[in-house]
Amino acid sequence: MDVEGKGEESRTTTTRRFALPVDSENKSTTFRLFSVAKPHMRAFHLSWFQFFCCFVSTFAAPPLLPVIRENLNLTATDIGNAGIASVSGSVFARLVMGTACDLFGPRLASAALTLSTAPAVYFTSGIKSPIGFIMVRFFAGFSLATFVSTQFWMSSMFSGPVVGSANGIAAGWGNLGGGATQLIMPLVFSVIRQMGATKFTAWRIAFFIPGLFQTFSAFAVLLFGQDLPDGDYWAMHKSGEKEKDEVGKVITHGIRNYRGWITALAYGYCFGVELTIDNIIAEYFFDRFHLNLNTAGIIAASFGLANFFARPGGGILSDLMARRFGMRGRLWSWWIIQTLGGVLCASLGQIDSLTGSIVVMLIFSVFVQASCGLTFGVVPFISRRSLGVISGMTGAGGNVGAVLTQLIFFKGSTYSRETGITLMGIMSIACSLPICLIYFPQWGGMFCGPSSKKVTEEEYYLAEWSTKEKEKNLHLASQKFAENSVSERGRATTHPQS
Amino acid sequence: MAVQTFLFASLIIFSSIESNHGATEVSLFTNLENSLEVTAKPTRVGVVWEAGKDIVRITWMLKSSAKVNDDAAFKTVEVKLCYAPISQVDRPWRKTHNELSRDRSCPHKIVSKPYDKIPQSLNWTVDRETPTGTYFIRAYGTDVNGYEVAYGQSSDAEKTTNLFSVEGISGRHTSLDIASICFSVFSFGSLLVFLVKEKRKAKLQQRK
């Protein structure tokens, strides 16, 4: 699959040659899915696979709950709390990961997190109480922060015209883990049982599989990956090619950019909705339609498996819209798709028939996951200096949305499950409205064109650097990025500076 | 195009899944006669039973107060282990339901034997995979078609007397704990090794 961009092919100042055409930052301007060429496509495959393994581990418990809850004598409250714990750990982790990527590079940051959360997965085999269960789900859930490193890495390797696609496919195939695990874990469990273990031992042994996959995916990232097209952060720090930035400044510029807060809120109501559904949908079908656990599990899996094409589809759509309409196209398509997702969610709760519910759920899954892809078509352009912080804030916002939604609508018996789903849909629609407020002076927003003051991309991105810093030439990467981001003006000839 | 095919295929597949509504004959618990007398006597009294170890002597027979020919319909007796209310609290997957096909309070089958007019008994070892909980024993008398027509239980109607507790196996093994520790150390250790190697590589690059 080839996604072509409009980047220029330029000669690099060094003698490096790349398998794919690159822009002036050596970011690839095309996306070739079936290639593993160093460094761009290799980074893609390593990062999505590592993220996939982390998702499998984080959601490994839900499909085996019928066995685990008997073994540990869990109550419904314990299970609900563990579900909230599994997504709340990574709120903090995603924020930190953003800064870590800015400072140490995505390769080391993600592999360090993956290797340090693998023990939580291994120790799941030894838990003996509800508290133990909640704790291992909490700590294993930290690994979902590898989402931020995936997006950061793709944004570092792929140029504007294809970054939405790269981000969308990498994240989508990672999120796939949440669906795949609902099929993998029961399968591993039954194989182990057939080998003679009792069911209370078999589920414990089963957890070593996601743990080992997580560990080895991290090894692959460390051994075969590279932070930037030109090399690794550490090597480049030392050789002077990449300057180390000040943590405080990076964080401040990130937090002060209001757009990051809007993307965080909006992402909370597409990705947050997706995570909530991952935790409750099997139970919903099981209880409301009296299906058996295996059937409910297959339905639950199909929601997550739609990520294979739905989220990438969102990213690709974002890039397609940008080609014609620039950033304004990205914003419009994001808002429309996410709002429609909210409408479908609200209707899902109202449907009484099984077939109707499944059909609406599948369509809903496509829209909500595409919204996630569309979000990260916009995020790479919000800041260059604080890309990691913005990605981290947005990613964390996704999890905060999941925690809030589960706390308000899905804990205890205040609302029935179906009412909770409808209310979640309505909240999605409301929290997607702020997208209308995102405005880039150089490109415009949903309802306004670019600023009449004729702000350039350079002015926008270099505003993050002080005059002193510019004198030290610390801003050169942002400069290059600004030049390449001119493609976000779109093809329309009405842009004042075209 | 791929999306449409996927949605269409899913629609076909899921349309063929039928839920369990509309069975022609619906057995309701409230329609059953309490005509069986069931007793459960453990070999060890006054302690929590251990799954896989303790033995219970279960007996069942037609109640002396039952009318003549009450047992005419019985073909088989199914003896089951049922959850006491305390083990059902905050656990909707163990909910009692009047419609017996939907009832989830008696999931553990002990034995199924053809009905005999004389009292029957069984020395039953608590199944190894029985979860921790509080239980009582119930026997259903089923007819030729497998539908329940009568029942009896070792506890009273409110399920408050003659309950017993079972301690399930933990499923944990020392070997698993050791394996967890080894793999965790391996994960952390290899991370440190990689970080040290990276630092060294960077220093070498600097010297170049």
Side-chain angles (χ1 to χ4, degrees):
Chain A
M1 189 196 84
D2 249 17
V3 180
E4 296 283 337
K6 277 202 298 183
E8 324 140 11
E9 270 192 54
S10 59
R11 277 197 204 99
T12 57
T13 48
T14 60
T15 51
R16 295 185 198 103
R17 241 182 262 149
F18 298 104
L20 300 172
V22 295
D23 65 13
S24 66
E25 291 176 280
N26 286 339
K27 292 189 190 177
S28 173
T29 54
T30 67
F31 185 85
R32 283 189 202 138
L33 189 63
F34 297 109
S35 150
V36 283
K38 219 172 139 170
H40 309 96
M41 292 313 302
R42 192 170 293 189
F44 166 77
H45 287 292
L46 290 170
S47 68
W48 82 256
F49 185 68
Q50 181 184 234
F51 184 38
F52 174 89
C53 292
C54 292
F55 237 101
V56 169
S57 305
T58 305
F59 292 99
L64 295 181
L65 267 175
V67 181
I68 300 176
R69 67 191 179 195
E70 305 294 14
N71 193 184
L72 303 178
N73 208 14
L74 301 175
T75 61
T77 309
D78 293 326
I79 295 172
N81 286 336
I84 293 173
S86 69
V87 292
S88 55
S90 95
V91 172
F92 172 71
R94 284 176 169 212
L95 290 168
V96 174
M97 181 59 105
T99 315
C101 284
D102 279 322
L103 298 173
F104 306 114
R107 183 178 149 257
L108 283 177
S110 64
L113 177 68
T114 308
L115 284 172
S116 17
T117 47
V121 185
Y122 296 128
F123 281 119
T124 310
S125 63
I127 56 177
K128 40 188 169 175
S129 66
I131 306 259
F133 183 62
I134 292 172
M135 284 190 53
V136 290
R137 285 213 75 192
F138 177 68
F139 287 112
F142 274 63
S143 65
L144 288 186
T146 44
F147 163 74
V148 178
S149 57
T150 304
Q151 301 294 284
F152 186 98
W153 210 354
M154 295 301 97
S155 303
S156 309
M157 284 285 178
F158 292 92
S159 180
V162 292
V163 75
S165 310
N167 273 342
I169 303 177
W173 287 9
N175 284 15
L176 205 59
T181 196
Q182 315 260 5
L183 297 171
I184 294 173
M185 293 304 285
L187 184 67
V188 171
F189 170 75
S190 47
V191 166
I192 297 174
R193 267 211 92 178
Q194 275 177 7
M195 284 162 47
T198 60
K199 58 181 183 177
F200 290 171
T201 303
W203 77 263
R204 295 171 182 276
I205 301 175
F207 269 82
F208 280 94
I209 304 295
L212 285 169
F213 265 95
Q214 207 176 308
T215 306
F216 288 118
S217 69
F219 285 176
V221 165
L222 286 170
L223 290 171
F224 304 118
Q226 196 177 300
D227 287 310
L228 296 165
D230 295 328
D232 286 322
Y233 264 45
W234 281 34
M236 292 169 74
H237 277 319
K238 300 290 183 191
S239 70
E241 269 183 78
K242 190 179 189 327
E243 288 299 317
K244 236 182 176 170
D245 206 345
E246 276 176 76
V247 185
K249 288 261 172 80
V250 169
I251 295 179
T252 326
H253 281 293
I255 298 180
R256 282 214 197 128
N257 197 326
Y258 76 91
R259 300 169 192 85
W261 292 97
I262 296 180
T263 53
L265 175 66
Y267 197 58
Y269 282 90
C270 56
F271 185 62
V273 167
E274 185 184 332
L275 288 181
T276 305
I277 297 278
D278 275 341
N279 266 337
I280 62 132
I281 198 71
E283 252 192 301
Y284 174 74
F285 276 96
F286 182 76
D287 288 333
R288 193 166 187 200
F289 301 104
H290 305 289
L291 304 173
N292 67 44
L293 216 82
N294 285 328
T295 316
I298 295 175
I299 299 175
S302 68
F303 177 84
L305 291 177
N307 262 305
F308 182 71
F309 60 84
R311 183 161 181 154
I316 293 168
L317 177 66
S318 191
D319 287 339
L320 280 173
M321 295 298 283
R323 258 194 251 172
R324 181 91 209 274
F325 303 108
M327 175 55 69
R328 297 183 73 182
R330 291 190 194 266
L331 291 169
W332 268 104
S333 46
W334 178 22
W335 179 69
I336 290 175
I337 301 274
Q338 185 155 326
T339 305
L340 285 176
V343 169
L344 285 161
C345 183
S347 14
L348 176 62
Q350 303 295 306
I351 295 182
D352 277 326
S353 77
L354 175 64
T355 320
S357 288
I358 294 175
V359 170
V360 172
M361 185 202 74
L362 289 174
I363 304 175
F364 159 55
S365 71
V366 171
F367 275 80
V368 79
Q369 289 158 13
S371 313
C372 298
L374 286 154
T375 311
F376 279 86
V378 173
V379 165
F381 297 99
I382 293 179
S383 162
R384 183 59 190 87
R385 187 175 187 182
S386 309
L387 171 64
V389 172
I390 300 283
S391 300
M393 276 166 68
T394 309
N399 283 60
V400 169
V403 170
L404 274 178
T405 310
Q406 284 176 91
L407 271 174
I408 301 173
F409 302 126
F410 297 103
K411 193 170 172 184
S413 39
T414 330
Y415 300 105
S416 68
R417 281 282 185 270
E418 46 266 35
T419 313
I421 291 177
T422 301
L423 291 174
M424 177 167 70
I426 296 175
M427 196 151 177
S428 271
I429 298 171
C431 294
S432 306
L433 284 171
I435 296 172
C436 304
L437 300 175
I438 297 181
Y439 180 75
F440 288 91
Q442 70 275 34
W443 301 315
M446 273 172 68
F447 296 111
C448 311
S451 168
S452 49
K453 294 193 204 132
K454 302 217 172 127
V455 179
T456 61
E457 288 79 1
E458 222 177 280
E459 283 162 22
Y460 177 80
Y461 290 109
L462 295 185
E464 293 181 313
W465 301 91
S466 68
T467 332
K468 268 196 194 161
E469 288 164 336
K470 285 186 206 169
E471 281 167 14
K472 289 191 220 159
N473 275 340
L474 293 170
H475 64 294
L476 294 175
S478 289
Q479 176 113 18
K480 279 191 195 162
F481 180 76
E483 286 158 15
N484 290 318
S485 70
V486 169
S487 53
E488 295 305 306
R489 294 186 186 180
R491 217 184 284 166
T493 50
T494 50
H495 194 285
Q497 293 173 66
S498 297
Chain B
M1 189 59 213
V3 177
Q4 291 159 316
T5 322
F6 171 76
L7 287 173
F8 184 65
S10 327
L11 181 59
I12 301 289
I13 293 170
F14 288 115
S15 304
S16 53
I17 296 170
E18 284 162 29
S19 58
N20 214 0
H21 293 288
T24 41
E25 255 188 76
V26 176
S27 280
L28 295 177
F29 185 72
T30 36
N31 289 348
L32 301 183
E33 288 278 337
N34 187 353
S35 41
L36 289 171
E37 192 166 320
V38 179
T39 56
K41 273 206 193 107
T43 42
R44 291 195 305 152
V45 195
V47 291
V48 173
W49 301 350
E50 282 178 58
K53 287 197 186 148
D54 278 297
I55 304 176
V56 193
R57 186 169 181 79
I58 309 172
T59 60
W60 61 92
M61 59 186 174
L62 194 66
K63 272 189 178 163
S64 44
S65 54
K67 297 174 222 139
V68 180
N69 276 343
D70 243 0
D71 55 353
F74 290 12
K75 224 9 194 152
T76 344
V77 175
E78 282 183 11
V79 186
K80 291 188 176 174
L81 190 66
C82 304
Y83 289 109
I86 193 171
S87 280
Q88 292 176 297
V89 170
D90 205 10
R91 291 176 178 87
W93 59 86
R94 293 180 184 170
K95 225 161 120 174
T96 307
H97 207 285
N98 200 23
E99 212 179 297
L100 287 173
S101 56
R102 287 207 215 163
D103 180 50
R104 310 233 174 126
S105 61
C106 299
H108 306 288
K109 191 168 152 187
I110 296 176
V111 77
S112 182
K113 273 197 173 167
Y115 177 65
D116 202 346
K117 297 228 182 225
I118 57 165
Q120 289 176 297
S121 64
L122 171 72
N123 279 337
W124 178 65
T125 314
V126 181
D127 189 57
R128 215 169 147 220
E129 292 187 346
T130 308
T132 305
T134 309
Y135 300 89
F136 63 95
I137 293 180
R138 180 182 286 173
Y140 286 110
T142 57
D143 66 7
V144 187
N145 300 317
Y147 290 108
E148 298 83 356
V149 290
Y151 80 99
Q153 59 194 31
S154 63
S155 177
D156 63 357
E158 282 80 44
K159 299 178 261 186
T160 49
T161 57
N162 276 342
L163 303 172
F164 52 88
S165 294
V166 172
E167 181 74 37
I169 56 169
S170 73
R172 297 176 66 217
H173 283 280
T174 327
S175 52
L176 288 181
D177 293 335
I178 295 175
S180 315
I181 297 174
C182 289
F183 281 121
S184 302
V185 167
F186 174 59
S187 282
F188 268 131
S190 40
L191 176 63
L192 291 173
V193 165
F194 270 116
L195 288 176
V196 167
K197 273 177 76 179
E198 284 288 314
K199 257 207 149 149
R200 283 212 195 130
K201 242 201 289 177
K203 280 203 184 135
L204 278 173
Q205 279 246 328
Q206 196 182 21
R207 282 198 206 125
K208 271 190 190 165

